[in-house]
């Protein structure tokens, strides 16, 4: 029994712009493999009939049949007489890309816990926790002490905040998801950066958004002219942005661009969901910036500030938050129950103790990220001279590397087969763009970074060879 099916049009939408230099049957099967590896389509679901998919994609049936055969041969599909083709994951693969069993994890750009976590795990914390045993132990708004600590954190950064403007969430991912569900109606246009944080794209799509993007590049940052004309033309309901430090490019928006951004959003009546989960990850940036809303005090668009303890303190605590008006928070709280009931009290007690020390923690992070950035830059210059590491990377989680050739998918699939788990460039776009890019997390300890990049250097020539050998083959499978 299969668990469900995916129709030809739904699969076409998921595939995005999958065509590249490789022959169509290969590019198609590679993109389906990636969707499976990224969890964007599940294993054990019925694929569309060959004829239906061929019509939806404007291909010959022979090409789709060849793509399905290639998926079967690699273990990503099975077919039984009379019951069509069903997606699968090869037995050798782990279901989720979690490090362990000798796997190298370049998928998660996250740091281990701050050293200060051990310090606060003391009797005082346990005493406070014991006092909670007579309560239900979780709450859907956030503990008053934590909301106060978060409000103080914003105030100290130049954005005066009252605890009533804070809603505590299960990490910022849940905040992004809930805010999208509260604000976006099916079919609404939502603006986001291209590339952007993939789980935000997924959350926005879940809410029914039609996503429009404008570019952010490693060299030039935000294309403000394109952004302004897109806001003017499409009047997006919501804009989802990461001004510090943009994931995956690591860019930080200039003060002037922030002003232009807010003016464009205001003129288009667009609500801004600003994701500042990575804002504390400054390595050696020349200029620091207050939270985005500090520029709009007394006017401007409605802004929801989304942030989290995950990047500075520890992702394992799963504490995030939204700063917004109490009326907006009530709207968000109203959609909460169906997906994310509440946040556990224990983790909130921990974050309440650590948040006031976040500047001290930022120092620790600075050293870790500097070591990761420098190790990745050196290893790439030495081992992968075709690749371009960003000339300036002064903060954030990752380096958005240019491979110099549209081979991201090929390389990622080869790396997966050798136990190195990494997200391909197209995962960071809405339409399959970014085949020339790869996100290298600088959060990984230098020795693992080196090890992973050595493996990629070993695989890189074969990614090239596969692509060119297959181009010779192009035309034989039409
Ligand atoms: C930009 C950005 N926003 C949000 C998140 C979600 O993190 P969390 O739910 O742990 O706060 C991440 C995680 O990598 C991220 O990179």
């Amino acid at each position: 029994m299969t668990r469900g099916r995916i129709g030809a049009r739904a699969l076409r939408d998921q595939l995005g712009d999958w065509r590249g230099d490789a022959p169509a049957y290969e590019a198609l099967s590679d993109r389906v493999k990636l969707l499976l590896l990224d969890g964007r389509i599940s294993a054990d679901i019925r694929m569309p009939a060959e004829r239906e998919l061929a019509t939806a994609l404007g291909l010959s049936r022979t090409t789709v049949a060849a793509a399905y055969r290639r998926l079967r041969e690699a273990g990503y599909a099975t077919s039984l007489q009379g019951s069509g083709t069903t997606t699968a994951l090869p037995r050798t693969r782990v279901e989720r890309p979690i490090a362990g069993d000798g796997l190298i994890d370049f998928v998660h750009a996250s740091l281990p816990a701050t050293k200060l976590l051990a310090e606060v795990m003391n009797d005082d914390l346990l005493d406070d926790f014991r006092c909670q045993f007579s309560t239900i132990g979780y709450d859907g708004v956030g503990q008053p002490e934590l909301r106060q600590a978060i409000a103080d954190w914003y105030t100290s950064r130049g954005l005066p905040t009252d605890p009533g403007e804070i809603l505590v969430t299960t990490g910022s991912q849940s905040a992004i998801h809930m805010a999208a569900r509260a604000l976006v109606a099916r079919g609404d246009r939502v603006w986001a950066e291209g590339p952007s944080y993939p789980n935000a794209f997924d959350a926005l799509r879940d809410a029914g958004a039609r996503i429009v993007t404008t570019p952010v590049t490693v060299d030039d940052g935000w294309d403000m002219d394109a952004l302004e004309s897109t806001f003017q033309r499409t009047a997006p309901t919501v804009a989802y942005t990461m001004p510090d430090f943009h994931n995956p490019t690591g860019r930080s928006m200039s003060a002037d661009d922030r002003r232009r951004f807010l003016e464009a959003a205001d003129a288009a009546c667009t609500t801004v969901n600003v994701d500042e989960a990575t804002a504390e990850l400054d390595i050696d940036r020349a200029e620091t910036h207050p939270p985005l809303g500090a520029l709009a005090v007394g006017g401007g668009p409605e802004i929801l500030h989304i942030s989290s303890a995950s990047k500075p303190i520890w992702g394992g605590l799963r504490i995030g938050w939204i700063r917004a008006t109490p009326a907006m928070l009530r709207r968000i709280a109203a959609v909460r129950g169906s997906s994310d009931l509440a946040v556990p009290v224990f983790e909130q007690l921990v974050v309440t103790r650590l948040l006031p020390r976040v500047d001290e923690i930022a120092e620790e992070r600075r050293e870790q990220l500097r070591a990761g950035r420098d190790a990745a830059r050196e290893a790439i210059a030495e081992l992968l001279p075709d690749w371009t590491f960003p000339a300036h990377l002064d903060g954030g989680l990752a380096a958005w590397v240019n491979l110099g050739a549209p081979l991201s998918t090929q390389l990622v699939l080869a790396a997966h087969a050798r136990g190195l788990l990494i997200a391909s460039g197209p995962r960071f776009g809405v339409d399959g763009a970014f085949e020339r890019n790869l996100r290298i997390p600088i959060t990984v300890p230098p020795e693992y970074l080196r090890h992973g990049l050595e493996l990629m250097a070993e695989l890189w020539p074969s990614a090239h060879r596969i692509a060119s050998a297959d181009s010779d083959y192009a035309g034989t499978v039409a």
Side-chain angles (χ1 to χ4, degrees), residues 52-66:
E52 283 167 26
L53 188 60
T55 308
L57 298 178
L59 294 171
S60 74
R61 188 174 165 188
T62 329
T63 303
V64 174

PDB file of all heavy atoms in Angstrom, residues 52-66:
ATOM      1  N   GLU A  52       1.015  11.385 -18.281  1.00  0.00           N
ATOM      2  CA  GLU A  52       0.538  12.637 -17.651  1.00  0.00           C
ATOM      3  C   GLU A  52       1.698  13.586 -17.360  1.00  0.00           C
ATOM      4  O   GLU A  52       1.614  14.785 -17.602  1.00  0.00           O
ATOM      5  CB  GLU A  52      -0.139  12.343 -16.305  1.00  0.00           C
ATOM      6  CG  GLU A  52      -1.528  11.783 -16.427  1.00  0.00           C
ATOM      7  CD  GLU A  52      -1.991  11.236 -15.076  1.00  0.00           C
ATOM      8  OE1 GLU A  52      -1.499  11.696 -14.028  1.00  0.00           O
ATOM      9  OE2 GLU A  52      -2.824  10.317 -15.091  1.00  0.00           O
ATOM     10  N   LEU A  53       2.799  13.019 -16.832  1.00  0.00           N
ATOM     11  CA  LEU A  53       3.932  13.893 -16.502  1.00  0.00           C
ATOM     12  C   LEU A  53       4.546  14.451 -17.787  1.00  0.00           C
ATOM     13  O   LEU A  53       4.922  15.622 -17.848  1.00  0.00           O
ATOM     14  CB  LEU A  53       4.983  13.137 -15.680  1.00  0.00           C
ATOM     15  CG  LEU A  53       6.102  14.019 -15.123  1.00  0.00           C
ATOM     16  CD1 LEU A  53       5.551  15.110 -14.199  1.00  0.00           C
ATOM     17  CD2 LEU A  53       7.140  13.203 -14.351  1.00  0.00           C
ATOM     18  N   ALA A  54       4.608  13.602 -18.826  1.00  0.00           N
ATOM     19  CA  ALA A  54       5.162  14.070 -20.100  1.00  0.00           C
ATOM     20  C   ALA A  54       4.343  15.258 -20.608  1.00  0.00           C
ATOM     21  O   ALA A  54       4.897  16.283 -21.018  1.00  0.00           O
ATOM     22  CB  ALA A  54       5.156  12.928 -21.116  1.00  0.00           C
ATOM     23  N   THR A  55       3.019  15.183 -20.510  1.00  0.00           N
ATOM     24  CA  THR A  55       2.174  16.285 -20.974  1.00  0.00           C
ATOM     25  C   THR A  55       2.412  17.523 -20.118  1.00  0.00           C
ATOM     26  O   THR A  55       2.591  18.627 -20.626  1.00  0.00           O
ATOM     27  CB  THR A  55       0.676  15.885 -20.899  1.00  0.00           C
ATOM     28  OG1 THR A  55       0.550  14.646 -21.586  1.00  0.00           O
ATOM     29  CG2 THR A  55      -0.229  16.919 -21.515  1.00  0.00           C
ATOM     30  N   ALA A  56       2.447  17.336 -18.790  1.00  0.00           N
ATOM     31  CA  ALA A  56       2.604  18.493 -17.896  1.00  0.00           C
ATOM     32  C   ALA A  56       3.942  19.198 -18.121  1.00  0.00           C
ATOM     33  O   ALA A  56       4.042  20.406 -17.966  1.00  0.00           O
ATOM     34  CB  ALA A  56       2.479  18.049 -16.441  1.00  0.00           C
ATOM     35  N   LEU A  57       4.974  18.421 -18.484  1.00  0.00           N
ATOM     36  CA  LEU A  57       6.304  19.024 -18.624  1.00  0.00           C
ATOM     37  C   LEU A  57       6.668  19.335 -20.077  1.00  0.00           C
ATOM     38  O   LEU A  57       7.758  19.843 -20.346  1.00  0.00           O
ATOM     39  CB  LEU A  57       7.367  18.080 -18.036  1.00  0.00           C
ATOM     40  CG  LEU A  57       7.261  17.768 -16.536  1.00  0.00           C
ATOM     41  CD1 LEU A  57       8.348  16.780 -16.112  1.00  0.00           C
ATOM     42  CD2 LEU A  57       7.386  19.036 -15.708  1.00  0.00           C
ATOM     43  N   GLY A  58       5.781  18.980 -20.997  1.00  0.00           N
ATOM     44  CA  GLY A  58       6.073  19.217 -22.425  1.00  0.00           C
ATOM     45  C   GLY A  58       7.233  18.361 -22.911  1.00  0.00           C
ATOM     46  O   GLY A  58       8.075  18.820 -23.687  1.00  0.00           O
ATOM     47  N   LEU A  59       7.283  17.097 -22.426  1.00  0.00           N
ATOM     48  CA  LEU A  59       8.366  16.195 -22.835  1.00  0.00           C
ATOM     49  C   LEU A  59       7.773  15.011 -23.588  1.00  0.00           C
ATOM     50  O   LEU A  59       6.552  14.782 -23.550  1.00  0.00           O
ATOM     51  CB  LEU A  59       9.063  15.627 -21.586  1.00  0.00           C
ATOM     52  CG  LEU A  59       9.827  16.603 -20.691  1.00  0.00           C
ATOM     53  CD1 LEU A  59      10.239  15.896 -19.404  1.00  0.00           C
ATOM     54  CD2 LEU A  59      11.058  17.123 -21.423  1.00  0.00           C
ATOM     55  N   SER A  60       8.639  14.224 -24.198  1.00  0.00           N
ATOM     56  CA  SER A  60       8.130  12.979 -24.796  1.00  0.00           C
ATOM     57  C   SER A  60       7.970  11.945 -23.675  1.00  0.00           C
ATOM     58  O   SER A  60       8.659  12.028 -22.634  1.00  0.00           O
ATOM     59  CB  SER A  60       9.109  12.458 -25.839  1.00  0.00           C
ATOM     60  OG  SER A  60      10.228  11.917 -25.183  1.00  0.00           O
ATOM     61  N   ARG A  61       7.102  10.990 -23.926  1.00  0.00           N
ATOM     62  CA  ARG A  61       6.900   9.947 -22.918  1.00  0.00           C
ATOM     63  C   ARG A  61       8.191   9.131 -22.731  1.00  0.00           C
ATOM     64  O   ARG A  61       8.484   8.661 -21.630  1.00  0.00           O
ATOM     65  CB  ARG A  61       5.739   9.051 -23.367  1.00  0.00           C
ATOM     66  CG  ARG A  61       5.351   8.090 -22.289  1.00  0.00           C
ATOM     67  CD  ARG A  61       4.142   7.293 -22.631  1.00  0.00           C
ATOM     68  NE  ARG A  61       4.061   6.169 -21.695  1.00  0.00           N
ATOM     69  CZ  ARG A  61       3.224   5.205 -21.803  1.00  0.00           C
ATOM     70  NH1 ARG A  61       2.359   5.176 -22.777  1.00  0.00           N
ATOM     71  NH2 ARG A  61       3.223   4.224 -20.914  1.00  0.00           N
ATOM     72  N   THR A  62       8.950   8.975 -23.817  1.00  0.00           N
ATOM     73  CA  THR A  62      10.205   8.207 -23.729  1.00  0.00           C
ATOM     74  C   THR A  62      11.159   8.861 -22.726  1.00  0.00           C
ATOM     75  O   THR A  62      11.857   8.180 -21.975  1.00  0.00           O
ATOM     76  CB  THR A  62      10.920   8.204 -25.107  1.00  0.00           C
ATOM     77  OG1 THR A  62       9.944   8.271 -26.116  1.00  0.00           O
ATOM     78  CG2 THR A  62      11.834   7.041 -25.266  1.00  0.00           C
ATOM     79  N   THR A  63      11.187  10.199 -22.717  1.00  0.00           N
ATOM     80  CA  THR A  63      12.100  10.894 -21.788  1.00  0.00           C
ATOM     81  C   THR A  63      11.677  10.646 -20.347  1.00  0.00           C
ATOM     82  O   THR A  63      12.500  10.348 -19.476  1.00  0.00           O
ATOM     83  CB  THR A  63      12.101  12.411 -22.090  1.00  0.00           C
ATOM     84  OG1 THR A  63      12.474  12.581 -23.449  1.00  0.00           O
ATOM     85  CG2 THR A  63      13.055  13.161 -21.192  1.00  0.00           C
ATOM     86  N   VAL A  64      10.371  10.744 -20.094  1.00  0.00           N
ATOM     87  CA  VAL A  64       9.892  10.506 -18.719  1.00  0.00           C
ATOM     88  C   VAL A  64      10.154   9.047 -18.334  1.00  0.00           C
ATOM     89  O   VAL A  64      10.607   8.758 -17.217  1.00  0.00           O
ATOM     90  CB  VAL A  64       8.395  10.874 -18.595  1.00  0.00           C
ATOM     91  CG1 VAL A  64       7.859  10.499 -17.215  1.00  0.00           C
ATOM     92  CG2 VAL A  64       8.193  12.360 -18.853  1.00  0.00           C
ATOM     93  N   ALA A  65       9.931   8.124 -19.276  1.00  0.00           N
ATOM     94  CA  ALA A  65      10.170   6.705 -18.976  1.00  0.00           C
ATOM     95  C   ALA A  65      11.650   6.491 -18.635  1.00  0.00           C
ATOM     96  O   ALA A  65      11.989   5.755 -17.701  1.00  0.00           O
ATOM     97  CB  ALA A  65       9.758   5.846 -20.173  1.00  0.00           C
ATOM     98  N   ALA A  66      12.533   7.178 -19.371  1.00  0.00           N
ATOM     99  CA  ALA A  66      13.978   7.032 -19.097  1.00  0.00           C
ATOM    100  C   ALA A  66      14.322   7.612 -17.726  1.00  0.00           C
ATOM    101  O   ALA A  66      15.134   7.051 -16.991  1.00  0.00           O
ATOM    102  CB  ALA A  66      14.783   7.727 -20.188  1.00  0.00           C
TER     103      ALA A  66
END
